[in-house]
Amino acid sequence: MDKIAAALGDAARWRIVEQLADRPRSVGELAELTGLRQPQTTKHLQTLARAGLVTVFPLGQRRVYALESEPLHALERRLRELAERTEAHADERDVIARYRTAIERESAVADQDRWADGRLFSFERALAAPPDLVWQYWTDPELLASWWAPRPMTIVDAVLEPTPGGRAVLEYADAEGNRYRSEGSVSTARDSERLVFTLAVLDAESAISFSGQYAVELAAVPTGTQLRLDLRIDQTTVDAVTYIAGIETGWNQVLDNLAEVIGEGAASRRTGTSTTDKD
């Protein structure tokens, strides 16, 4: 497939293929139709032949080339697969588009520091696990690291110590090696019920870009746990635009991650295996 795609990626070879789609042709005829010199045409035909796209028929002193349909069908099938995969994940493209729109919107109003102070965000999720287990996913560092980063970020450090005055730390990295760190503390920790903490997002010089107070409420329901997360931001700087624009998208992603890993854990428990065993 790589050879086929590379062979067809040249404009001159594509013109040759278009001419051969009508009928087999000689080198001279193809050179005349495409505006290429015969030596160039011959080299392009050799490349197409190595990719299996054309077959050469020596006819005395003439060499006639014919286009093969099967490699084109193979390429068609591969392109169809890629198109279907792209359509299946169109929601992820939409997330990026919405994030870009949010950045533009916030940039238009971020004219001075404190521009977004007091803004509130709320999120809810129904989780297929009891509150005590959901609590562990928030307070156990290993479990916390399994979900607390938006795609495609990776967790470097994640801590929420479930005691008043306990540390709150989140640091993740992107594929380019950039790191994003937040630090704060826990103010309220009622086991399996309520967790309140602050996190200040730090810039490259460890100055605060903005700070947020987070309140996590867990309520038992027949299907497991109803989670509610409330966030209030302050200490906002102009440079925090991209962070604040991504709050809604980012938290929706990580809460979806949480629901997914808890769901996988519930499935493992039903079948008698653990997540560790499955790995």
Side-chain angles (χ1 to χ4, degrees), residues 191-204:
D191 193 355
S192 306
E193 293 182 3
R194 180 174 172 82
L195 184 66
V196 180
F197 59 94
T198 60
L199 275 177
V201 177
L202 307 178
D203 64 18

Side-chain angles (χ1 to χ4, degrees), residues 131-148 155 157-163 167 169 186 191 195 258 261 276:
D132 61 332
L133 182 57
V134 176
W135 181 262
Q136 292 179 40
Y137 274 90
W138 280 89
T139 58
D140 180 278
E142 184 176 350
L143 294 177
L144 186 62
S146 72
W147 63 270
W148 202 16
I155 289 287
D157 192 10
V159 177
L160 282 175
E161 296 176 343
T163 183
R167 292 188 307 136
V169 176
V186 174
D191 193 355
L195 184 66
L258 175 60
V261 297
T276 302

Side-chain angles (χ1 to χ4, degrees), residues 156-157 171-174 176-181 202-204 243:
V156 175
D157 192 10
E171 183 174 356
Y172 54 85
D174 59 25
E176 289 71 38
N178 301 309
R179 292 197 174 192
Y180 308 88
R181 186 172 180 86
L202 307 178
D203 64 18
Y243 294 115

